[in-house]
Amino acid sequence: MEQLIASLSRILPTLQTCDNVIESFSLNYKRDLAYTRRYKGSFFVYFLLNNDKIDYIGISETLYTRLLHHKCDKEFQHVLLLRFDNYLQMLEAEKQLIDTFEPPLNQMYDFRVNRNR
């Protein structure tokens, strides 16, 4: 986990729009999922991790609901969060991070093909 956070810290300066909030937590218990309710109305890029590897990168304004859906169809042990000031910043960061890390569960749609550069 420390190596992943270090990698993100190196990349974050290139994500000019991020306020550099990196938070990590486990979703093994109901209380951990309930913890995400306090983030309602914020803009997040989130990372779903399994064995300290990024399996999926997504975005959400309703983190609690989004993670509930993921728990039904994906296996993951931890979540990392990056908070953004607005929706457009969040979208651009997600594209950049998916291009950088190429998570296996994001490969169903290749963002690089349909991007305006």
Side-chain angles (χ1 to χ4, degrees):
M1 180 74 70
E2 291 82 21
Q3 287 178 325
L4 177 59
I5 291 174
S7 294
L8 285 173
S9 296
R10 284 191 300 273
I11 292 168
L12 283 175
T14 67
L15 300 174
Q16 298 293 325
T17 59
C18 181
D19 67 6
N20 293 333
V21 172
I22 298 177
E23 189 164 345
S24 170
F25 55 91
S26 169
L27 288 179
N28 294 328
Y29 303 101
K30 287 183 181 180
R31 68 177 166 76
D32 294 324
L33 188 57
Y35 170 82
T36 63
R37 285 187 174 181
R38 70 186 181 126
Y39 293 126
K40 187 176 183 179
S42 296
F43 301 101
F44 286 100
V45 172
Y46 60 90
F47 302 78
L48 301 183
L49 308 173
N50 226 352
N51 299 320
D52 292 339
K53 295 192 185 329
I54 299 172
D55 278 352
Y56 184 81
I57 297 173
I59 58 172
S60 184
E61 294 175 67
T62 56
L63 195 57
Y64 174 78
T65 304
R66 190 68 186 116
L67 293 176
L68 271 179
H69 288 137
H70 283 311
K71 281 191 71 71
C72 293
D73 65 356
K74 293 178 183 69
E75 283 190 36
F76 56 97
Q77 298 163 336
H78 286 87
V79 176
L80 284 177
L81 302 175
L82 300 176
R83 188 180 316 190
F84 291 83
D85 293 331
N86 66 55
Y87 185 78
L88 293 176
Q89 293 170 345
M90 176 183 68
L91 282 178
E92 184 56 36
E94 178 197 31
K95 290 175 188 175
Q96 184 178 351
L97 290 163
I98 289 172
D99 283 348
T100 300
F101 289 103
E102 298 181 347
L105 297 178
N106 286 98
Q107 298 310 309
M108 291 182 289
Y109 177 79
D110 188 348
F111 283 92
R112 291 170 289 194
V113 172
N114 295 312
R115 289 187 54 179
N116 294 328
R117 291 195 183 236

